């Protein structure tokens, strides 16, 4: 199940804390300031996806650039996004064997546009204790992130660094929740642009499916 929802979790980790409305607005704004100050970010997460009593456990590594580019890797799945193109590499046990190449629509790209999300923050009501937790609940599904009903985020109240994220999906998708606990957080990293571009030539035996 993690393979199906990995991009959604990534977009939420990278951007949903930037919605700023409701009772937890001050906490959100401090979280925003922290994310912007940190610039390039590297994270290692302990992720879980629960679906009808079944739980998948995944170790997830993420690299985020201030311009919205990102790299994500777990055992069976790797994603590169350079701001224009997404490469999805599938690993079936012998290394990456399939690479799907797409160019996301403007709506899909907006999920990773930190500045745009900060400016618009549409589709969610925000609540929380204002100290270390804020909750994002869908108020207008046409403007929110598709498939998401609720997101609960906790931060370190001393530093405003994101600690955990719990995502609840729409009932139409089933009884599914996804959570991620930040195990390692590295701010102020400098990434080469090649970090966010798939080195397709290095995967000579992989099937390339170019959907652009």
């Amino acid at each position: 199940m993690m393979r199906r929802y990995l991009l959604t979790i990534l977009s939420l980790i990278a951007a949903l804390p930037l919605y700023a409305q409701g009772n937890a607005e001050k906490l959100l704004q401090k979280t925003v300031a922290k994310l912007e100050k940190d610039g390039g970010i590297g994270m290692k997460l302990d992720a879980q996806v629960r679906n009808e009593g079944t739980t998948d456990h995944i170790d997830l590594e993420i690299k985020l650039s201030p311009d919205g580019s990102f790299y994500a890797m777990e055992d069976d799945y790797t994603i590169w996004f350079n701001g224009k193109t997404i490469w999805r590499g599938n690993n079936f046990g012998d290394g990456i064997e399939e690479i799907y190449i797409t160019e996301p629509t403007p709506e899909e790209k907006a999920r990773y546009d930190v500045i745009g999300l900060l400016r618009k923050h549409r589709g969610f009501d925000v609540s929380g204790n204002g100290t270390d937790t804020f909750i994002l609940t869908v108020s207008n599904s046409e403007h929110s992130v598709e498939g998401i009903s609720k997101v609960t985020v906790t931060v370190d109240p001393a530093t405003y660094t994101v600690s955990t994220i719990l995502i609840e999906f729409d009932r139409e998708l089933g009884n599914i929740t996804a959570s991620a606990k930040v195990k390692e957080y590295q701010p102020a990293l400098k990434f080469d642009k090649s970090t966010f571009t798939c080195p397709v030539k290095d995967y000579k035996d992989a099937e390339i499916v170019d959907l652009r």
Side-chain angles (χ1 to χ4, degrees), residues 8-151:
T8 300
I9 293 173
L10 289 178
S11 66
L12 289 165
I13 292 171
L16 276 177
L18 303 181
Y19 290 102
Q21 288 181 336
N23 297 331
E25 181 173 352
K26 186 176 294 186
L27 179 62
L28 280 167
Q29 293 291 357
K30 289 180 178 179
T31 304
V32 169
K34 168 66 175 174
L35 289 170
E36 292 181 334
K37 180 181 178 180
D38 286 350
I41 296 170
M43 289 189 288
K44 292 184 179 180
L45 303 103
D46 177 13
Q48 298 182 5
V49 178
R50 300 180 181 88
N51 181 21
E52 302 293 348
T54 300
T55 302
D56 287 346
H57 296 267
I58 301 98
D59 288 323
L60 181 62
E61 179 181 354
I62 301 174
K63 297 177 182 179
L64 302 172
S65 171
D67 66 4
S69 303
F70 69 83
Y71 166 87
M73 188 269 292
E74 52 106 344
D75 286 344
D76 301 331
Y77 207 62
T78 303
I79 299 174
W80 297 260
F81 177 56
N82 66 1
K84 178 183 179 181
T85 304
I86 291 178
W87 294 264
R88 299 175 175 89
N90 295 322
N91 184 334
F92 301 117
D94 296 316
I96 291 179
E97 299 176 31
E98 292 179 349
I99 298 174
Y100 286 80
I101 307 174
T102 60
E103 290 188 356
T105 65
E107 292 77 15
E108 291 171 333
K109 289 179 67 174
R111 298 181 184 182
Y112 314 110
D113 180 5
V114 173
I115 300 302
L117 287 170
L118 176 62
R119 186 166 54 243
K120 298 175 183 178
H121 52 265
R122 299 186 302 166
F124 287 90
D125 287 334
V126 183
S127 60
N129 61 22
T131 302
D132 64 0
T133 302
F134 55 86
I135 301 169
L136 308 171
T137 305
V138 169
S139 59
N140 187 333
S141 59
E142 292 183 1
H143 297 299
S144 62
V145 180
E146 182 180 0
I148 299 297
S149 62
K150 186 176 181 180
V151 181

Side-chain angles (χ1 to χ4, degrees), residues 65 76 120 157 167 172 196 198-199:
S65 171
D76 301 331
K120 298 175 183 178
I167 306 165
E172 289 79 4
F196 309 108
C198 176

